[in-house]
Amino acid sequence: MPTVNGDENQQLSNASSHNTATRIESDSLGSLEIPADAYWGVHTLRAMQNFPITRRAISVYPDLVLALAHIKQAAARANAELGVIESKKAHAIDAACQEILDGALHAEFCVGVIQGGAGTSTNMNANEVIANRALEILGHEKGEYSFLHPIDDVNRSQSTNDVYPTAIKLAMVFGVHRLLAEHQLLSDSFAVKGREFVSILKIGRTQMQDAVPMTLGQEFSGFSHTLEEDHARLTAVLPFMSEINMGATAIGTGITADSRYAEAVRRHLTDATGIEMQTAFDLIEATSDVGVFMTLSGVLKRSAVKLSKICNDLRLLSSGPQAGFGEINLPAKQAGSSIMPGKVNPVIPEVVNQVAFSVIGADATVTAAAEGGQLQLNAFEPVIAHSLLQSLEWMTNACRTLRENCIVGITANEARLAAQVESSVGVVTALTPYIGYAAAATLAHTALTTNASIAQLVVSTGLMKEEDVARVLTPERLSGVSPMTAAITLPWLTEEK
């Protein structure tokens, strides 16, 4: 993918300074000078003037640019097939779109990601770039729209109101697939650690207090399995993202489009992307409804929150290293302090936490934008698109950096873990089936106040034999890897006999 300039203010500055030659373009509001070598036109320039908000152009989301090119290409093929536009024009539009799909002209998509007009500026930007490149392919100059027009030809049979939501859905499908791939690799990396730590006993904790023993492998396997759950839920959203409203045009009635167009463009879009697209049953409902974006946003938030919780655990488990838990070692990635020599911080889990906070905030934005729509169109799809595309990109990158820069390099402090298990009163829980809860509670209190071991206290008080205690307190039984029942004969069963 080519390097793109994400600053639409810089693009606007360039428009007036990088090329002294200009051309004149006009719209219903009047005429403006456009840099002669720019592929965008008057509608794009007005958008850059009107929306200098985010300092981020739509080209920062290459998936959106590619989705727009796919849609305009499919529309040109459908229109040519139906005889709606001349074959020569359709072929030029098709070729221009293919160049964009191959990575060209992305920097020309320069309107701001946040814009008024329900995405009209984005659609106009695409129409103008494609039209001007198509004009060159036909042997004409940029801006000679009498030969091929951005709206009459590139936007034929379309409206922003069916192009834009379809484009952001398609872009999100691309993004979800990329996230799923990284998410699976991250889950796999936790599973590898689970196998590596399978025999390392440690103390589990509930409510930040010592609980019963488990293995470090069980803990890391649990991280892997919780990520697998979110992987399944992200996958389940994909079919909903492939329902489109192409052919709806302005509000869903299909005005200005051939009655055969919706099916033709759906088929061409499916063939080009390899993604099975489905035309919505009710195009009026589909044009105004943004429920699918809330669904995706909710699943992303769930995934982000659970990933952030795992990162919290990693920071706790590695805390210290001397005065904290100190159970695991995270890879040292950078100096942690400008004043404390030798300090190393858990910077990778911390950055993933912050990504999760952003995704949570983005979900609130998507919810507010969805609620804010009125009547036959939601005007706030640009902020929905920006929020979700950013969340997908950041989550994908967060999964990658967590795996590469943290998980694969984690090691266990086995000596510290073994010492904690040996001194823990939590192991008394394993003895309650044999000595009863009340006796176990008394022993636990004694152990805490005297620092005596539970095993020694049970034997010295005559509650159990030493060999029976040893059999119950094996690592396999303490961690639940082997069932604990029937480890020894229960005292009351002996008495009954």
Side-chain angles (χ1 to χ4, degrees):
M1 201 64 64
T3 301
V4 295
N5 185 348
D7 185 342
E8 70 267 20
N9 290 324
Q10 186 62 48
Q11 292 277 7
L12 183 55
S13 175
N14 290 345
S16 60
S17 64
H18 81 298
N19 187 350
T20 55
T22 61
R23 65 177 188 266
I24 300 297
E25 289 196 16
S26 302
D27 62 5
S28 59
L29 300 182
S31 299
L32 291 174
E33 287 189 356
I34 308 295
D37 61 351
Y39 285 88
W40 42 265
V42 62
H43 296 289
T44 300
L45 180 55
R46 290 201 190 280
M48 288 193 287
Q49 293 171 336
N50 291 334
F51 311 124
I53 307 299
T54 62
R55 302 182 66 82
R56 299 182 74 187
I58 58 173
S59 56
V60 300
Y61 299 124
D63 285 340
L64 180 58
V65 175
L66 296 175
L68 287 163
H70 272 302
I71 290 166
K72 295 299 179 179
Q73 186 179 63
R77 292 174 180 179
N79 283 325
E81 176 183 307
L82 300 174
V84 174
I85 63 173
E86 298 173 30
S87 177
K88 182 174 66 173
K89 289 183 177 181
H91 287 155
I93 294 169
D94 192 321
C97 290
Q98 190 58 52
E99 290 183 7
I100 295 169
L101 292 171
D102 291 337
L105 302 176
H106 283 223
E108 299 293 320
F109 289 77
C110 47
V111 299
V113 292
I114 304 298
Q115 55 193 248
T120 297
S121 296
T122 294
N123 188 37
M124 290 292 200
N125 192 170
N127 289 334
E128 290 174 341
V129 171
I130 293 166
N132 280 308
R133 179 58 191 135
L135 282 168
E136 289 181 332
I137 291 170
L138 291 173
H140 303 291
E141 296 295 323
K142 299 182 189 72
E144 293 186 333
Y145 297 141
S146 60
F147 298 102
L148 188 149
H149 198 275
I151 298 176
D152 292 338
D153 297 311
V154 180
N155 199 62
R156 189 63 177 266
S157 307
Q158 304 152 62
S159 163
T160 295
N161 302 344
D162 57 5
V163 168
Y164 190 69
T166 299
I168 57 181
K169 284 180 180 179
L170 185 55
M172 288 172 195
V173 169
F174 296 154
V176 169
H177 278 296
R178 197 175 296 111
L179 172 57
L180 284 171
E182 284 297 338
H183 201 268
Q184 186 62 60
L185 291 172
L186 178 60
S187 177
D188 292 345
S189 71
F190 277 112
V192 168
K193 286 296 171 182
R195 293 189 292 272
E196 180 182 336
F197 301 149
V198 68
S199 61
I200 301 176
L201 205 61
K202 61 161 285 179
I203 294 298
R205 296 178 181 84
T206 58
Q207 296 171 264
M208 296 297 292
Q209 304 300 303
D210 295 347
V212 297
M214 63 186 299
T215 68
L216 190 60
Q218 288 172 321
E219 194 160 32
F220 274 75
S221 293
F223 295 153
S224 176
H225 292 148
T226 198
L227 290 175
E228 289 288 352
E229 289 182 357
D230 291 313
H231 191 279
R233 280 156 181 77
L234 282 165
T235 302
V237 176
L238 285 170
F240 300 105
M241 303 300 296
S242 62
E243 182 183 271
I244 61 174
N245 69 328
M246 290 298 293
T249 63
I251 64 170
T253 60
I255 191 170
T256 73
D258 187 288
S259 60
R260 301 165 295 171
Y261 170 78
E263 172 54 24
V265 73
R266 182 208 65 80
R267 175 167 38 82
H268 284 292
L269 192 55
T270 294
D271 291 343
T273 62
I275 300 167
E276 187 62 38
M277 299 293 181
Q278 299 292 334
T279 302
F281 173 75
D282 185 335
L283 290 178
I284 289 179
E285 182 276 336
T287 303
S288 62
D289 178 58
V290 294
V292 67
F293 300 129
M294 286 191 290
T295 299
L296 175 59
S297 185
V299 174
L300 278 174
K301 181 179 75 171
R302 171 197 159 111
S303 179
V305 167
K306 291 175 66 177
L307 186 59
S308 188
K309 188 271 181 189
I310 291 173
C311 288
N312 294 340
D313 289 351
L314 294 175
R315 291 191 292 115
L316 278 173
L317 294 174
S318 64
S319 61
Q322 293 172 306
F325 284 19
E327 295 186 3
I328 61 173
N329 306 300
L330 305 185
K333 304 308 294 186
Q334 62 186 60
S337 174
S338 61
I339 187 172
M340 293 174 281
K343 190 172 187 290
V344 178
N345 296 326
V347 293
I348 302 302
E350 285 173 351
V351 76
V352 177
N353 285 135
Q354 292 173 81
V355 168
F357 305 155
S358 176
V359 173
I360 293 167
D363 179 64
T365 298
V366 171
T367 301
E371 186 278 334
Q374 301 97 17
L375 303 176
Q376 278 67 61
L377 184 67
N378 189 304
F380 309 115
E381 286 184 358
V383 77
I384 291 175
H386 167 57
S387 298
L388 286 175
L389 290 173
Q390 176 176 277
S391 291
L392 285 166
E393 182 179 341
W394 285 16
M395 278 287 287
T396 300
N397 294 338
C399 287
R400 183 184 304 112
T401 197
L402 182 61
R403 171 176 56 87
E404 293 179 348
N405 293 316
C406 184
I407 306 306
V408 298
I410 290 176
T411 58
N413 284 332
E414 296 189 47
R416 185 180 182 93
L417 290 166
Q420 289 175 342
V421 173
E422 289 173 7
S423 63
S424 172
V425 300
V427 297
V428 76
T429 304
L431 303 175
T432 56
Y434 311 104
I435 66 175
Y437 184 89
T442 299
L443 290 178
H445 178 73
T446 302
L448 285 171
T449 55
T450 65
N451 289 324
S453 78
I454 288 294
Q456 292 172 346
L457 287 173
V458 173
V459 174
S460 66
T461 55
L463 291 172
M464 293 178 68
K465 296 177 181 179
E466 185 175 354
E467 60 268 25
D468 290 337
V469 173
R471 197 176 303 129
V472 173
L473 298 186
T474 62
E476 292 79 13
R477 294 187 185 280
L478 285 175
S479 62
V481 175
S482 294
M484 213 170 67
T485 55
I488 63 173
T489 303
L490 296 174
W492 54 86
L493 294 180
T494 303
E495 293 170 4
E496 288 177 2
K497 291 181 180 179

